[in-house]
């Protein structure tokens, strides 16, 4: 009877132990410095308070309920204890092997994890699973650059949708980009198992995912056998069980991560750039991209055939269409204007040629009927070609598509048309510094935007733009 009576008492004590329960206030604790209580001292609102949160945060308590976090009295010695990792000291790559250096035949080489992986947390190979289309993958570029800065010599691979994969044509930091539909809740078994094998055979040290994970996607990440597995999870009951398979979770504020706009990955960025011993916080670099010479030549031939010259045309992007090549954001579905409104804007432009970007060839006839048969039309479906077209232009007039981000990254004069002021502040912060003029609808619907206000704004974008 004595042994039987102790069991029910020990279970509630274990469950009520604060060190054994998973924290459900991670997001609140991270962002508490933004809105401190009135009675809180001012010194507590400084940035180091965020560092304390990260240092005290332990691993997933469901994996080890007796893990109290980092032992402050633990002595590591002097090997791999501080600073950033060095470049990979392995022998040079074998040019005859697509997978690099291979000293022994496959399946005969013993895989040994480096000591620095355990002591300092080095990352030699990182896989980023980015959900969404072109817009979401483009906004992930600063995060990739942060990973390259934080872990020198790291090899970054990306898994994205077929449409999102096109974005990495402009990113030199990515080694391989694989097309896999992360948003498919019921993938074919042969495709699913084959891709798990591909990721597992690459021996990643870190796997990051921006798809909101439940137990299904979390187990998919777990099967890659990476040391560090981090992902966003649902903010509701759908996230139950996901933490069992992940070493770090980020709870999204809504079920649509794209609602966060330009800083939609702020929680993951905050974790990746956290201070570590003598290393200070790694800052997030701005959005940058690169264009190859071949792409520039192809795009130049396109706009010259349309009757435009370099530096003497204005790009118009955001024509209403059901094509996925419109490059909208999932966080702003009301971001395309009917062609009749674009025709009114284009009629007021003088001294420069308005170039209409169409996402599908079937839109060409509509542009010719409404704007005129002498209209300059360019058919572009990839973000790299769109970026090259904007780079050679005098400016851009666009709705909230990937074009507005491409223009602000190169500080091209641009006018952004948004359905509301709130959306504009979320997706284009610090618009004035990026030479972007914001025009927002007063009714909350993009179709009700003031065309005259757009025409007046063009006068102040660039001295080379003029309206009647």
């Amino acid at each position: 009877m004595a042994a039987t009576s102790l069991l029910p008492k020990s279970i509630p004590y274990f469950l009520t132990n604060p060190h054994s329960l998973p924290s459900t206030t991670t997001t609140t604790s991270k962002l508490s410095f933004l809105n401190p209580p009135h009675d809180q001292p001012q010194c507590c609102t400084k940035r180091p308070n965020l560092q304390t949160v990260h240092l005290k945060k332990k691993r997933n308590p469901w994996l080890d309920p007796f893990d109290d976090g980092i032992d402050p009295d633990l002595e590591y010695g002097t090997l791999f204890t501080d600073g950033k990792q060095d470049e990979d000291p392995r022998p040079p790559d074998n040019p005859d092997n697509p997978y690099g250096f291979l000293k022994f035949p496959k399946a005969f080489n013993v895989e040994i994890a480096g000591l620095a992986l355990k002591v300092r947390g080095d990352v030699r190979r990182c896989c980023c699973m980015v959900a969404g289309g072109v817009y979401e993958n483009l906004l992930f570029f600063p995060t990739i650059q942060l990973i390259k800065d934080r872990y020198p010599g790291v090899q970054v691979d990306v898994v994205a949708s077929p449409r999102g994969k096109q974005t990495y044509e402009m990113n030199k930091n990515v080694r391989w980009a694989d097309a896999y539909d992360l948003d498919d809740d019921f993938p074919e078994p042969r495709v699913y198992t084959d891709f798990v094998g591909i990721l597992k055979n690459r021996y990643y040290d870190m796997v990051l995912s921006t798809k909101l994970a439940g137990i299904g996607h979390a187990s998919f990440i777990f099967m890659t056998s990476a040391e560090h597995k981090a992902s966003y999870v649902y903010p509701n009951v759908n996230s139950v069980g996901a933490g069992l398979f992940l070493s770090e979770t980020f709870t999204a504020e809504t079920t649509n991560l794209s609602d966060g706009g330009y800083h939609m990955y702020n929680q993951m960025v905050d974790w990746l750039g956290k201070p570590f011993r003598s290393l200070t916080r790694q800052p997030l670099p701005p959005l940058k991209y690169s264009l190859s010479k071949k792409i520039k030549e192809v795009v130049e031939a396109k706009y010259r055939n349309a009757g435009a010259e370099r530096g003497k045309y204005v790009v118009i992007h955001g024509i209403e269409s059901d094509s996925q090549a419109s490059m909208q954001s999932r966080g702003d579905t009301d971001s395309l204007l009917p062609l009749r409104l674009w025709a009114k804007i284009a009629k007021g432009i003088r001294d420069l040629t308005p170039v209409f970007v169409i996402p599908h060839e079937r839109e060409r006839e509509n542009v010719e009927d409404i704007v005129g048969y002498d209209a300059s039309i360019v058919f572009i479906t990839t973000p790299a070609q769109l970026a090259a077209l904007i780079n050679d232009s005098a400016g851009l007039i666009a709705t909230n598509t990937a074009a507005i981000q491409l223009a602000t990254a190169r500080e091209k004069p641009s006018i952004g048309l948004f359905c509301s002021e709130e959306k504009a502040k979320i997706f284009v912060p610090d618009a004035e510094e990026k030479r972007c003029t914001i025009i927002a609808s007063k009714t909350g619907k993009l179709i009700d935007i003031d065309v005259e206000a757009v025409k007046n704004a063009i006068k102040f974008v660039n001295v080379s733009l003029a309206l009647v």
Side-chain angles (χ1 to χ4, degrees):
M1 289 297 293
T4 307
S5 62
L6 288 176
L7 184 57
K9 295 180 181 179
S10 61
I11 293 178
Y13 174 77
F14 170 75
L15 292 177
T16 55
N17 186 0
H19 297 287
S20 63
L21 283 176
S23 175
T24 58
T25 60
T26 304
T27 306
T28 306
S29 61
K30 285 182 180 180
L31 302 179
S32 61
F33 70 98
L34 295 177
N35 298 305
H38 295 289
D39 56 346
Q40 188 176 359
Q42 182 148 10
C43 61
C44 298
T45 63
K46 294 182 179 180
R47 191 68 177 178
N49 202 19
L50 188 62
Q51 174 181 354
T52 307
V53 173
H54 285 294
L55 293 177
K56 290 183 178 180
K57 185 176 181 181
K58 53 186 171 61
R59 297 177 65 107
N60 193 330
W62 288 107
L63 301 180
D64 186 1
F66 302 101
D67 183 10
D68 292 328
I70 301 176
D71 185 2
D73 299 326
L74 182 62
E75 296 182 2
Y76 291 95
T78 59
L79 190 62
F80 304 123
T81 57
D82 207 353
K84 292 185 179 181
Q85 66 186 36
D86 300 323
E87 296 287 340
D88 200 341
R90 294 181 304 171
D93 291 344
N94 182 4
D96 299 329
N97 192 316
Y99 296 96
F101 184 83
L102 208 60
K103 188 175 182 180
F104 299 102
K106 192 174 182 180
F108 289 90
N109 187 17
V110 179
E111 294 293 334
I112 302 176
L115 180 61
L117 175 66
K118 297 292 183 180
V119 177
R120 192 172 52 191
D122 287 8
V123 176
R124 296 297 178 187
R125 300 181 186 92
C126 177
C127 177
C128 302
M129 301 180 182
V130 186
V134 170
Y135 206 117
E136 287 74 19
N137 282 268
L138 184 63
L139 293 182
F140 197 74
F141 277 25
T143 307
I144 295 177
Q145 184 61 53
L146 185 147
I147 296 172
K148 296 288 288 187
D149 296 339
R150 176 62 181 82
Y151 304 101
V154 64
Q155 294 177 335
V156 180
D157 299 339
V158 170
V159 176
S161 63
R163 180 67 64 179
K165 178 187 174 182
Q166 298 176 343
T167 315
Y168 298 96
E169 190 177 10
M170 303 182 293
N171 196 322
K172 294 182 178 180
N173 291 326
V174 175
R175 180 181 60 161
W176 294 330
D178 296 291
Y180 181 81
D181 192 1
L182 295 170
D183 299 313
D184 188 2
D185 295 329
F186 301 99
E188 295 186 18
R190 61 178 182 83
V191 177
Y192 183 89
T193 54
D194 177 67
F195 205 74
V196 168
I198 291 175
L199 297 180
K200 190 177 180 65
N201 288 337
R202 291 178 181 174
Y203 299 98
Y204 289 116
D205 300 323
M206 177 186 290
V207 174
L208 306 174
S209 177
T210 65
K211 173 181 168 58
L212 300 188
I215 192 171
H217 184 61
S219 60
F220 177 77
I221 299 174
F222 178 80
M223 285 186 285
T224 61
S225 301
E227 177 71 16
H228 309 287
K229 300 173 284 291
S231 175
Y232 281 89
V233 296
Y234 284 99
N236 49 33
V237 72
N238 292 326
S239 64
V240 172
L244 293 170
F245 301 97
L246 301 171
S247 55
E248 188 72 24
T249 59
F250 316 107
T251 304
E253 296 181 1
T254 63
T255 55
N256 185 5
L257 192 63
S258 300
D259 290 338
Y262 185 83
H263 298 292
M264 58 186 294
Y265 306 117
N266 60 345
Q267 295 184 49
M268 180 176 289
V269 167
D270 195 52
W271 177 74
L272 288 170
K274 63 184 177 182
F276 181 75
R277 295 174 186 158
S278 66
L279 294 179
T280 58
R281 176 169 294 277
Q282 188 71 39
L284 180 68
L287 173 62
K288 292 183 179 180
Y289 58 87
S290 58
L291 297 172
S292 65
K293 183 178 179 181
K294 183 177 181 180
I295 291 178
K296 291 180 180 179
E297 293 175 352
V298 171
V299 172
E300 185 177 1
K302 283 189 176 184
Y303 67 71
R304 287 190 180 278
N305 291 336
E309 297 181 9
R310 176 181 295 182
K312 297 182 180 181
Y313 64 89
V314 179
V315 178
I316 293 180
H317 192 267
I319 298 176
E320 188 176 27
S321 175
D322 58 354
S323 173
Q324 292 184 358
S326 298
M327 306 182 195
Q328 292 176 270
S329 170
R330 292 182 176 182
D332 188 8
T333 55
D334 186 13
S335 58
L336 296 177
L337 269 180
L339 193 54
R340 57 182 177 82
L341 295 180
W342 283 119
K344 294 180 181 180
I345 297 174
K347 286 181 180 179
I349 299 178
R350 294 291 181 87
D351 299 332
L352 294 171
T353 304
V355 174
F356 293 85
V357 179
I358 56 175
H360 199 279
E361 275 293 348
R362 63 171 175 266
E363 304 293 341
R364 184 181 296 273
E365 184 178 353
N366 298 331
V367 176
E368 292 175 349
D369 292 342
I370 297 177
V371 181
Y373 289 96
D374 57 343
S376 299
I377 305 172
V378 176
F379 171 52
I380 286 181
T381 60
T382 65
Q385 292 189 14
L386 178 60
L389 182 67
I390 295 173
N391 188 59
D392 289 348
S393 69
L396 168 74
I397 306 175
T399 56
N400 188 18
T401 63
I404 204 71
Q405 301 294 342
L406 294 171
T408 54
R410 292 291 178 99
E411 294 185 354
K412 278 284 181 179
S414 60
I415 297 178
L417 312 182
F418 289 83
C419 62
S420 65
E421 290 283 352
E422 291 75 14
K423 291 291 184 181
K425 293 179 181 178
I426 292 174
F427 283 91
V428 188
D430 303 325
E432 295 182 359
E433 298 178 2
K434 301 176 181 178
R435 304 180 67 185
C436 179
T437 303
I438 300 298
I439 304 296
S441 175
K442 298 179 180 180
T443 63
K445 296 182 179 180
L446 185 62
I447 196 173
D448 297 329
I449 198 165
D450 189 359
V451 176
E452 293 300 324
V454 179
K455 293 181 179 180
N456 294 332
I458 297 178
K459 299 178 182 179
F460 305 98
V461 171
N462 197 314
V463 294
S464 63
L465 299 177
L467 291 175
V468 175

